[in-house]
PDB file of all heavy atoms in Angstrom:
ATOM      1  N   LYS C 232       7.294 -32.955  -6.598  1.00  0.00           N
ATOM      2  CA  LYS C 232       7.503 -31.754  -5.778  1.00  0.00           C
ATOM      3  C   LYS C 232       8.799 -31.879  -4.977  1.00  0.00           C
ATOM      4  O   LYS C 232       9.583 -30.934  -4.902  1.00  0.00           O
ATOM      5  CB  LYS C 232       6.308 -31.598  -4.833  1.00  0.00           C
ATOM      6  CG  LYS C 232       6.362 -30.406  -3.906  1.00  0.00           C
ATOM      7  CD  LYS C 232       5.991 -29.126  -4.612  1.00  0.00           C
ATOM      8  CE  LYS C 232       5.889 -27.965  -3.623  1.00  0.00           C
ATOM      9  NZ  LYS C 232       5.775 -26.680  -4.323  1.00  0.00           N
ATOM     10  N   LYS C 233       8.987 -33.076  -4.400  1.00  0.00           N
ATOM     11  CA  LYS C 233      10.195 -33.300  -3.599  1.00  0.00           C
ATOM     12  C   LYS C 233      11.451 -33.136  -4.454  1.00  0.00           C
ATOM     13  O   LYS C 233      12.439 -32.540  -4.015  1.00  0.00           O
ATOM     14  CB  LYS C 233      10.144 -34.709  -3.001  1.00  0.00           C
ATOM     15  CG  LYS C 233      11.210 -34.982  -1.950  1.00  0.00           C
ATOM     16  CD  LYS C 233      10.955 -36.337  -1.300  1.00  0.00           C
ATOM     17  CE  LYS C 233      12.018 -36.708  -0.301  1.00  0.00           C
ATOM     18  NZ  LYS C 233      11.674 -37.982   0.378  1.00  0.00           N
ATOM     19  N   GLU C 234      11.408 -33.642  -5.674  1.00  0.00           N
ATOM     20  CA  GLU C 234      12.577 -33.520  -6.547  1.00  0.00           C
ATOM     21  C   GLU C 234      12.807 -32.061  -6.946  1.00  0.00           C
ATOM     22  O   GLU C 234      13.957 -31.615  -7.031  1.00  0.00           O
ATOM     23  CB  GLU C 234      12.409 -34.396  -7.799  1.00  0.00           C
ATOM     24  CG  GLU C 234      13.651 -34.360  -8.673  1.00  0.00           C
ATOM     25  CD  GLU C 234      13.660 -35.435  -9.760  1.00  0.00           C
ATOM     26  OE1 GLU C 234      13.039 -36.507  -9.553  1.00  0.00           O
ATOM     27  OE2 GLU C 234      14.299 -35.211 -10.800  1.00  0.00           O
ATOM     28  N   ALA C 235      11.722 -31.320  -7.172  1.00  0.00           N
ATOM     29  CA  ALA C 235      11.865 -29.905  -7.539  1.00  0.00           C
ATOM     30  C   ALA C 235      12.539 -29.118  -6.406  1.00  0.00           C
ATOM     31  O   ALA C 235      13.433 -28.299  -6.638  1.00  0.00           O
ATOM     32  CB  ALA C 235      10.497 -29.301  -7.869  1.00  0.00           C
ATOM     33  N   ILE C 236      12.128 -29.405  -5.168  1.00  0.00           N
ATOM     34  CA  ILE C 236      12.743 -28.729  -4.016  1.00  0.00           C
ATOM     35  C   ILE C 236      14.195 -29.171  -3.853  1.00  0.00           C
ATOM     36  O   ILE C 236      15.093 -28.350  -3.606  1.00  0.00           O
ATOM     37  CB  ILE C 236      11.924 -29.000  -2.731  1.00  0.00           C
ATOM     38  CG1 ILE C 236      10.546 -28.329  -2.852  1.00  0.00           C
ATOM     39  CG2 ILE C 236      12.658 -28.520  -1.500  1.00  0.00           C
ATOM     40  CD1 ILE C 236       9.606 -28.632  -1.691  1.00  0.00           C
ATOM     41  N   SER C 237      14.440 -30.483  -4.034  1.00  0.00           N
ATOM     42  CA  SER C 237      15.814 -31.009  -3.957  1.00  0.00           C
ATOM     43  C   SER C 237      16.724 -30.291  -4.941  1.00  0.00           C
ATOM     44  O   SER C 237      17.871 -29.961  -4.617  1.00  0.00           O
ATOM     45  CB  SER C 237      15.840 -32.504  -4.299  1.00  0.00           C
ATOM     46  OG  SER C 237      15.060 -33.243  -3.408  1.00  0.00           O
ATOM     47  N   ASP C 238      16.222 -30.067  -6.149  1.00  0.00           N
ATOM     48  CA  ASP C 238      17.021 -29.398  -7.184  1.00  0.00           C
ATOM     49  C   ASP C 238      17.413 -27.984  -6.761  1.00  0.00           C
ATOM     50  O   ASP C 238      18.537 -27.539  -7.018  1.00  0.00           O
ATOM     51  CB  ASP C 238      16.238 -29.323  -8.508  1.00  0.00           C
ATOM     52  CG  ASP C 238      16.238 -30.642  -9.262  1.00  0.00           C
ATOM     53  OD1 ASP C 238      16.880 -31.602  -8.798  1.00  0.00           O
ATOM     54  OD2 ASP C 238      15.583 -30.709 -10.324  1.00  0.00           O
ATOM     55  N   GLU C 239      16.487 -27.283  -6.119  1.00  0.00           N
ATOM     56  CA  GLU C 239      16.801 -25.903  -5.707  1.00  0.00           C
ATOM     57  C   GLU C 239      17.826 -25.905  -4.580  1.00  0.00           C
ATOM     58  O   GLU C 239      18.748 -25.076  -4.566  1.00  0.00           O
ATOM     59  CB  GLU C 239      15.533 -25.159  -5.254  1.00  0.00           C
ATOM     60  CG  GLU C 239      14.421 -25.054  -6.289  1.00  0.00           C
ATOM     61  CD  GLU C 239      14.810 -24.384  -7.591  1.00  0.00           C
ATOM     62  OE1 GLU C 239      15.923 -23.851  -7.680  1.00  0.00           O
ATOM     63  OE2 GLU C 239      13.996 -24.391  -8.528  1.00  0.00           O
ATOM     64  N   ILE C 240      17.663 -26.824  -3.618  1.00  0.00           N
ATOM     65  CA  ILE C 240      18.660 -26.925  -2.547  1.00  0.00           C
ATOM     66  C   ILE C 240      20.031 -27.232  -3.160  1.00  0.00           C
ATOM     67  O   ILE C 240      21.049 -26.617  -2.814  1.00  0.00           O
ATOM     68  CB  ILE C 240      18.262 -28.021  -1.523  1.00  0.00           C
ATOM     69  CG1 ILE C 240      16.987 -27.604  -0.765  1.00  0.00           C
ATOM     70  CG2 ILE C 240      19.405 -28.302  -0.551  1.00  0.00           C
ATOM     71  CD1 ILE C 240      16.459 -28.664   0.200  1.00  0.00           C
ATOM     72  N   ALA C 241      20.056 -28.182  -4.094  1.00  0.00           N
ATOM     73  CA  ALA C 241      21.315 -28.564  -4.743  1.00  0.00           C
ATOM     74  C   ALA C 241      21.940 -27.368  -5.457  1.00  0.00           C
ATOM     75  O   ALA C 241      23.157 -27.152  -5.378  1.00  0.00           O
ATOM     76  CB  ALA C 241      21.067 -29.703  -5.723  1.00  0.00           C
ATOM     77  N   ASP C 242      21.125 -26.586  -6.153  1.00  0.00           N
ATOM     78  CA  ASP C 242      21.657 -25.430  -6.890  1.00  0.00           C
ATOM     79  C   ASP C 242      22.342 -24.434  -5.956  1.00  0.00           C
ATOM     80  O   ASP C 242      23.381 -23.868  -6.300  1.00  0.00           O
ATOM     81  CB  ASP C 242      20.532 -24.730  -7.669  1.00  0.00           C
ATOM     82  CG  ASP C 242      20.269 -25.406  -9.004  1.00  0.00           C
ATOM     83  OD1 ASP C 242      21.193 -26.027  -9.562  1.00  0.00           O
ATOM     84  OD2 ASP C 242      19.122 -25.305  -9.498  1.00  0.00           O
ATOM     85  N   VAL C 243      21.748 -24.193  -4.788  1.00  0.00           N
ATOM     86  CA  VAL C 243      22.391 -23.260  -3.850  1.00  0.00           C
ATOM     87  C   VAL C 243      23.731 -23.834  -3.396  1.00  0.00           C
ATOM     88  O   VAL C 243      24.756 -23.130  -3.397  1.00  0.00           O
ATOM     89  CB  VAL C 243      21.500 -22.955  -2.624  1.00  0.00           C
ATOM     90  CG1 VAL C 243      22.179 -21.900  -1.748  1.00  0.00           C
ATOM     91  CG2 VAL C 243      20.119 -22.468  -3.042  1.00  0.00           C
ATOM     92  N   VAL C 244      23.755 -25.129  -3.033  1.00  0.00           N
ATOM     93  CA  VAL C 244      25.005 -25.770  -2.593  1.00  0.00           C
ATOM     94  C   VAL C 244      26.055 -25.703  -3.711  1.00  0.00           C
ATOM     95  O   VAL C 244      27.235 -25.422  -3.462  1.00  0.00           O
ATOM     96  CB  VAL C 244      24.745 -27.234  -2.171  1.00  0.00           C
ATOM     97  CG1 VAL C 244      26.060 -27.968  -1.900  1.00  0.00           C
ATOM     98  CG2 VAL C 244      23.856 -27.277  -0.928  1.00  0.00           C
ATOM     99  N   ILE C 245      25.633 -25.933  -4.945  1.00  0.00           N
ATOM    100  CA  ILE C 245      26.553 -25.904  -6.091  1.00  0.00           C
ATOM    101  C   ILE C 245      27.189 -24.522  -6.249  1.00  0.00           C
ATOM    102  O   ILE C 245      28.414 -24.397  -6.366  1.00  0.00           O
ATOM    103  CB  ILE C 245      25.805 -26.353  -7.374  1.00  0.00           C
ATOM    104  CG1 ILE C 245      25.597 -27.872  -7.347  1.00  0.00           C
ATOM    105  CG2 ILE C 245      26.545 -25.903  -8.640  1.00  0.00           C
ATOM    106  CD1 ILE C 245      24.642 -28.403  -8.428  1.00  0.00           C
ATOM    107  N   TYR C 246      26.378 -23.472  -6.213  1.00  0.00           N
ATOM    108  CA  TYR C 246      26.949 -22.127  -6.382  1.00  0.00           C
ATOM    109  C   TYR C 246      27.822 -21.735  -5.192  1.00  0.00           C
ATOM    110  O   TYR C 246      28.834 -21.050  -5.362  1.00  0.00           O
ATOM    111  CB  TYR C 246      25.837 -21.091  -6.616  1.00  0.00           C
ATOM    112  CG  TYR C 246      25.338 -21.085  -8.041  1.00  0.00           C
ATOM    113  CD1 TYR C 246      24.000 -21.289  -8.339  1.00  0.00           C
ATOM    114  CD2 TYR C 246      26.215 -20.884  -9.111  1.00  0.00           C
ATOM    115  CE1 TYR C 246      23.540 -21.292  -9.652  1.00  0.00           C
ATOM    116  CE2 TYR C 246      25.763 -20.889 -10.423  1.00  0.00           C
ATOM    117  CZ  TYR C 246      24.430 -21.087 -10.688  1.00  0.00           C
ATOM    118  OH  TYR C 246      23.989 -21.087 -11.990  1.00  0.00           O
ATOM    119  N   LEU C 247      27.443 -22.156  -3.983  1.00  0.00           N
ATOM    120  CA  LEU C 247      28.280 -21.834  -2.826  1.00  0.00           C
ATOM    121  C   LEU C 247      29.630 -22.537  -2.921  1.00  0.00           C
ATOM    122  O   LEU C 247      30.666 -21.986  -2.534  1.00  0.00           O
ATOM    123  CB  LEU C 247      27.578 -22.238  -1.521  1.00  0.00           C
ATOM    124  CG  LEU C 247      26.361 -21.418  -1.132  1.00  0.00           C
ATOM    125  CD1 LEU C 247      25.745 -21.994   0.137  1.00  0.00           C
ATOM    126  CD2 LEU C 247      26.723 -19.942  -0.920  1.00  0.00           C
ATOM    127  N   THR C 248      29.629 -23.773  -3.452  1.00  0.00           N
ATOM    128  CA  THR C 248      30.885 -24.519  -3.597  1.00  0.00           C
ATOM    129  C   THR C 248      31.778 -23.841  -4.634  1.00  0.00           C
ATOM    130  O   THR C 248      32.997 -23.724  -4.447  1.00  0.00           O
ATOM    131  CB  THR C 248      30.577 -25.976  -4.001  1.00  0.00           C
ATOM    132  OG1 THR C 248      29.690 -26.541  -3.034  1.00  0.00           O
ATOM    133  CG2 THR C 248      31.843 -26.821  -4.064  1.00  0.00           C
ATOM    134  N   LEU C 249      31.171 -23.370  -5.720  1.00  0.00           N
ATOM    135  CA  LEU C 249      31.941 -22.652  -6.742  1.00  0.00           C
ATOM    136  C   LEU C 249      32.460 -21.315  -6.207  1.00  0.00           C
ATOM    137  O   LEU C 249      33.596 -20.910  -6.512  1.00  0.00           O
ATOM    138  CB  LEU C 249      31.069 -22.434  -7.989  1.00  0.00           C
ATOM    139  CG  LEU C 249      30.855 -23.690  -8.849  1.00  0.00           C
ATOM    140  CD1 LEU C 249      29.664 -23.502  -9.795  1.00  0.00           C
ATOM    141  CD2 LEU C 249      32.113 -24.023  -9.655  1.00  0.00           C
ATOM    142  N   LEU C 250      31.645 -20.641  -5.417  1.00  0.00           N
ATOM    143  CA  LEU C 250      32.080 -19.379  -4.801  1.00  0.00           C
ATOM    144  C   LEU C 250      33.262 -19.638  -3.862  1.00  0.00           C
ATOM    145  O   LEU C 250      34.279 -18.933  -3.917  1.00  0.00           O
ATOM    146  CB  LEU C 250      30.912 -18.758  -4.017  1.00  0.00           C
ATOM    147  CG  LEU C 250      31.250 -17.550  -3.137  1.00  0.00           C
ATOM    148  CD1 LEU C 250      31.777 -16.381  -3.970  1.00  0.00           C
ATOM    149  CD2 LEU C 250      30.019 -17.114  -2.330  1.00  0.00           C
ATOM    150  N   ALA C 251      33.132 -20.651  -3.008  1.00  0.00           N
ATOM    151  CA  ALA C 251      34.211 -21.000  -2.085  1.00  0.00           C
ATOM    152  C   ALA C 251      35.491 -21.287  -2.872  1.00  0.00           C
ATOM    153  O   ALA C 251      36.582 -20.813  -2.513  1.00  0.00           O
ATOM    154  CB  ALA C 251      33.811 -22.208  -1.233  1.00  0.00           C
ATOM    155  N   HIS C 252      35.357 -22.024  -3.966  1.00  0.00           N
ATOM    156  CA  HIS C 252      36.518 -22.333  -4.810  1.00  0.00           C
ATOM    157  C   HIS C 252      37.209 -21.054  -5.291  1.00  0.00           C
ATOM    158  O   HIS C 252      38.436 -20.926  -5.202  1.00  0.00           O
ATOM    159  CB  HIS C 252      36.065 -23.175  -6.008  1.00  0.00           C
ATOM    160  CG  HIS C 252      37.162 -23.434  -6.994  1.00  0.00           C
ATOM    161  ND1 HIS C 252      38.138 -24.368  -6.789  1.00  0.00           N
ATOM    162  CD2 HIS C 252      37.460 -22.835  -8.190  1.00  0.00           C
ATOM    163  CE1 HIS C 252      38.983 -24.367  -7.814  1.00  0.00           C
ATOM    164  NE2 HIS C 252      38.595 -23.444  -8.676  1.00  0.00           N
ATOM    165  N   GLU C 253      36.439 -20.099  -5.788  1.00  0.00           N
ATOM    166  CA  GLU C 253      37.023 -18.845  -6.295  1.00  0.00           C
ATOM    167  C   GLU C 253      37.763 -18.068  -5.206  1.00  0.00           C
ATOM    168  O   GLU C 253      38.702 -17.336  -5.475  1.00  0.00           O
ATOM    169  CB  GLU C 253      35.932 -17.934  -6.893  1.00  0.00           C
ATOM    170  CG  GLU C 253      35.374 -18.389  -8.217  1.00  0.00           C
ATOM    171  CD  GLU C 253      36.468 -18.712  -9.222  1.00  0.00           C
ATOM    172  OE1 GLU C 253      37.288 -17.826  -9.513  1.00  0.00           O
ATOM    173  OE2 GLU C 253      36.503 -19.857  -9.705  1.00  0.00           O
ATOM    174  N   LEU C 254      37.283 -18.212  -3.963  1.00  0.00           N
ATOM    175  CA  LEU C 254      37.864 -17.449  -2.850  1.00  0.00           C
ATOM    176  C   LEU C 254      38.962 -18.227  -2.137  1.00  0.00           C
ATOM    177  O   LEU C 254      39.512 -17.770  -1.138  1.00  0.00           O
ATOM    178  CB  LEU C 254      36.762 -17.059  -1.853  1.00  0.00           C
ATOM    179  CG  LEU C 254      35.617 -16.215  -2.424  1.00  0.00           C
ATOM    180  CD1 LEU C 254      34.544 -15.998  -1.368  1.00  0.00           C
ATOM    181  CD2 LEU C 254      36.145 -14.867  -2.922  1.00  0.00           C
ATOM    182  N   GLY C 255      39.275 -19.436  -2.651  1.00  0.00           N
ATOM    183  CA  GLY C 255      40.299 -20.247  -2.003  1.00  0.00           C
ATOM    184  C   GLY C 255      39.849 -20.810  -0.669  1.00  0.00           C
ATOM    185  O   GLY C 255      40.659 -21.076   0.220  1.00  0.00           O
ATOM    186  N   ILE C 256      38.534 -20.973  -0.503  1.00  0.00           N
ATOM    187  CA  ILE C 256      37.966 -21.512   0.741  1.00  0.00           C
ATOM    188  C   ILE C 256      37.632 -22.984   0.539  1.00  0.00           C
ATOM    189  O   ILE C 256      36.984 -23.349  -0.443  1.00  0.00           O
ATOM    190  CB  ILE C 256      36.690 -20.725   1.130  1.00  0.00           C
ATOM    191  CG1 ILE C 256      37.057 -19.306   1.590  1.00  0.00           C
ATOM    192  CG2 ILE C 256      35.879 -21.456   2.195  1.00  0.00           C
ATOM    193  CD1 ILE C 256      35.876 -18.361   1.749  1.00  0.00           C
ATOM    194  N   ASP C 257      38.081 -23.814   1.478  1.00  0.00           N
ATOM    195  CA  ASP C 257      37.723 -25.240   1.464  1.00  0.00           C
ATOM    196  C   ASP C 257      36.387 -25.352   2.196  1.00  0.00           C
ATOM    197  O   ASP C 257      36.304 -25.170   3.414  1.00  0.00           O
ATOM    198  CB  ASP C 257      38.819 -26.041   2.181  1.00  0.00           C
ATOM    199  CG  ASP C 257      38.534 -27.531   2.193  1.00  0.00           C
ATOM    200  OD1 ASP C 257      37.416 -27.924   2.605  1.00  0.00           O
ATOM    201  OD2 ASP C 257      39.407 -28.310   1.796  1.00  0.00           O
ATOM    202  N   ILE C 258      35.323 -25.626   1.451  1.00  0.00           N
ATOM    203  CA  ILE C 258      33.983 -25.537   2.023  1.00  0.00           C
ATOM    204  C   ILE C 258      33.750 -26.610   3.102  1.00  0.00           C
ATOM    205  O   ILE C 258      33.062 -26.364   4.097  1.00  0.00           O
ATOM    206  CB  ILE C 258      32.901 -25.563   0.902  1.00  0.00           C
ATOM    207  CG1 ILE C 258      31.521 -25.154   1.429  1.00  0.00           C
ATOM    208  CG2 ILE C 258      32.867 -26.888   0.189  1.00  0.00           C
ATOM    209  CD1 ILE C 258      30.509 -24.862   0.323  1.00  0.00           C
TER     210      ILE C 258
END
Side-chain angles (χ1 to χ4, degrees):
Chain C
K232 180 78 173 169
K233 190 173 177 176
E234 184 167 332
I236 293 175
S237 299
D238 282 357
E239 301 302 352
I240 293 176
D242 277 333
V243 184
V244 172
I245 285 169
Y246 280 123
L247 290 177
T248 304
L249 285 163
L250 171 62
H252 175 78
E253 287 310 302
L254 301 175
I256 290 169
D257 181 308
I258 193 167

